[in-house]
Amino acid sequence: MTPGYADHDTARPYPEPGKSAVLPDSLPARRGPFSRDRARVLHSAALRRLAGKTQVVGPGEGSEVSGVPRNRLTHSLEVAQIGRGIAEELGCDPDVVDTAGLAHDIGHPPFGHNGERALDAVAQACGGFEGNAQTLRILTRLEPKVLGEREHGLNLTRASLDAATKYPWPRTPGTRKFGVYPDDRAVFDWVRDGAPDRRRCIEAQVMDWSDDVAYSVHDVEDGVRSGRISIPALTAAGERTVVAELAAKHFSPEPVSGLEEVAADLLRLPVVADLAGTEYDDTLGAQVALKRLTSELVGRFAAAAVTATRREHGDGILTRYAAELVVPPRVAAEVALLKAVALRYVMSDPGRRALQATQRERLTELVAALVDRGADALEPAFVPAFDAAGDDAARLRVVVDQVAALTDAQALHWHGVFVGGGVPRV
């Protein structure tokens, strides 16, 4: 048993028999339950599909000078690695946090958060759509691994499922983020058995901070490589003000004046200043300087959380609900500023906004077409649930599950077939 975890934490929703195909003289497996969890997510189709789903730019959108921009899969691998390093420092089981990092985005639909908005709008009759709630649904129901009296998804341990639960509450009026749909409430309650109401375990907090660190730093890196973000431009006081205003509006409780000061200090860090003198030109020296910036900032943000948490909670093993992750306000402000940089220069581009409107329209039309056509239009794995659905809302949920599982390219292809009259699927 991993120190800090009990049988309650390693329990699975469905008891599984041991493997039956091993050779008679094989040595007994030494893998623990959390290592098995990580392997199940790593080998899942849901994780592989993330390679075809939008992170900031969509797959294939990178320009000739931008290298290979990140997608949801590479982002998830990076989150898992950052989280694993923090877990090792705090005494959390590294496999639990690694699993949560790998799994945290598998509920994302085609076109990322933009697709999430579209599916939430069309799914109001069945409880809406939220990527984190969809993650729980995939892990515990949709991903094929364990089949008992019903589908059990990957049948992960309680600790790993809880660590992957970023928002441990159902949807309530006025809340935009939530972690469970009404018809998944039973397994959610099983996962949360004994957990304080609406409180995240420390492993989930580590995953969440690792997610913030990964996408704030790496989105800026990709933006610089693509020419969308100019580090020298950020040295102008006016630009820093605009970025600070965006950070205060969307990502940080700090006042704009305080964020401007933090931004100025951040730009004075040697690894940032090295890129602030001239525009990025993609030469070998520039690539090395940009990668050094990325590495230094990730290390800065991870180490700050470890140090502050240890200062607050001491040197013992910190697992589950024994402690809270502590992120220094200044470091949180730095991460918020990096998010605001990506928002201003990448995600707010007028051309991108027009593309996103088209993407939402196509997903909306695709859902309507599949609802109209019924089970014959769905992949075979979704047909039993559609046939067993007792009402229109339940059938809509199955259709949304199907559309959410598609990659960006598949969603466009399906739209061409079922809405645009394209060549039928084979």
Side-chain angles (χ1 to χ4, degrees):
M1 181 69 66
T2 304
Y5 298 89
D7 290 344
H8 182 266
D9 305 312
T10 60
R12 300 184 187 277
Y14 182 75
E16 295 180 33
K19 293 185 181 296
S20 60
V22 296
L23 294 172
D25 59 348
S26 297
L27 294 174
R30 296 190 179 186
R31 284 195 307 165
F34 300 146
S35 176
R36 292 181 184 276
D37 287 347
R38 180 183 178 276
R40 290 181 182 196
V41 175
L42 189 63
H43 290 288
S44 68
L47 183 67
R48 293 196 300 275
R49 281 195 292 268
L50 294 183
K53 298 192 180 188
T54 297
Q55 172 63 11
V56 174
V57 299
E61 271 189 72
S63 69
E64 292 181 0
V65 298
S66 67
V68 182
R70 288 167 170 85
N71 55 47
R72 285 280 166 189
L73 176 58
T74 58
H75 165 71
S76 297
L77 295 173
E78 289 165 339
V79 171
Q81 179 59 34
I82 294 169
R84 188 177 191 92
I86 295 174
E88 289 170 346
E89 295 292 337
L90 296 180
C92 308
D93 187 281
D95 284 325
V96 171
V97 177
D98 199 328
T99 298
L102 291 173
H104 83 284
D105 266 355
I106 62 173
H108 270 281
F111 314 123
H113 290 294
N114 188 45
E116 191 176 23
R117 289 171 55 195
L119 292 186
D120 185 42
V122 301
Q124 288 301 302
C126 61
F129 183 90
E130 211 285 331
N132 296 279
Q134 194 70 15
T135 291
L136 179 69
R137 189 171 178 84
I138 290 169
L139 294 176
T140 61
R141 183 193 295 242
L142 299 180
E143 180 67 22
K145 170 65 177 175
V146 174
L147 184 64
E149 70 278 4
R150 65 167 183 81
E151 301 89 343
H152 292 277
L154 295 178
N155 200 38
L156 304 182
T157 64
R158 178 180 277 112
S160 291
L161 288 170
D162 201 20
T165 303
K166 194 171 181 179
Y167 305 110
W169 52 79
R171 188 169 212 167
T172 55
T175 60
R176 187 171 62 91
K177 294 293 188 179
F178 59 98
V180 59
Y181 302 126
D183 57 345
D184 294 322
R185 187 59 190 262
V187 72
F188 174 82
D189 289 343
W190 180 89
V191 171
R192 298 289 295 169
D193 181 39
D197 186 44
R198 299 176 70 91
R199 181 180 164 192
R200 294 181 299 172
C201 60
I202 192 171
E203 294 87 351
Q205 295 176 52
V206 171
M207 174 271 287
D208 192 23
W209 177 241
S210 302
D211 185 23
D212 278 356
V213 170
Y215 83 73
S216 64
V217 175
H218 295 143
D219 287 0
V220 169
E221 179 189 345
D222 284 351
V224 170
R225 285 184 62 85
S226 69
R228 293 182 172 100
I229 294 174
S230 166
I231 300 295
L234 293 172
T235 61
E239 279 302 299
R240 289 202 303 274
T241 299
V242 173
V243 169
E245 289 172 344
L246 283 173
K249 180 179 180 181
H250 297 286
F251 308 118
S252 174
E254 301 296 327
V256 172
S257 59
L259 289 167
E260 288 183 275
E261 293 179 8
V262 172
D265 290 343
L266 197 56
L267 286 163
R268 281 191 287 267
L269 287 176
V271 291
V272 183
D274 286 347
L275 288 165
T278 58
E279 293 293 346
Y280 180 83
D281 59 7
D282 210 36
T283 59
L284 180 59
Q287 290 184 40
V288 169
L290 182 58
K291 186 54 66 177
R292 186 186 306 120
L293 168 67
T294 302
S295 178
E296 290 276 358
L297 289 181
V298 169
R300 176 185 178 89
F301 300 149
V306 169
T307 301
T309 303
R310 282 301 189 193
R311 187 176 293 124
E312 177 73 19
H313 296 291
D315 296 330
I317 294 174
L318 306 180
T319 64
R320 304 288 277 139
Y321 295 94
E324 297 281 331
L325 186 73
V326 180
V327 178
R330 182 178 185 83
V331 170
E334 291 176 352
V335 167
L337 285 163
L338 293 179
K339 293 181 185 178
V341 168
L343 177 62
R344 172 161 171 75
Y345 297 106
V346 180
M347 289 172 271
S348 298
D349 177 78
R352 175 159 297 281
R353 289 182 178 274
L355 173 63
Q356 289 177 331
T358 299
Q359 291 169 342
R360 292 193 298 273
E361 180 181 7
R362 290 184 176 180
L363 285 187
T364 301
E365 292 173 344
L366 178 57
V367 169
L370 294 182
V371 168
D372 184 59
R373 288 174 178 258
D376 290 344
L378 304 180
E379 291 175 333
F382 291 94
V383 172
F386 189 91
D387 289 341
D391 54 29
D392 289 343
R395 284 184 284 273
L396 175 61
R397 175 58 69 194
V398 178
V399 169
V400 169
D401 286 340
Q402 168 71 88
V403 173
L406 302 175
T407 65
D408 292 10
Q410 287 172 331
L412 294 175
H413 175 70
W414 280 48
H415 182 274
V417 170
F418 293 111
V419 180
V423 179
R425 291 182 296 129
V426 295

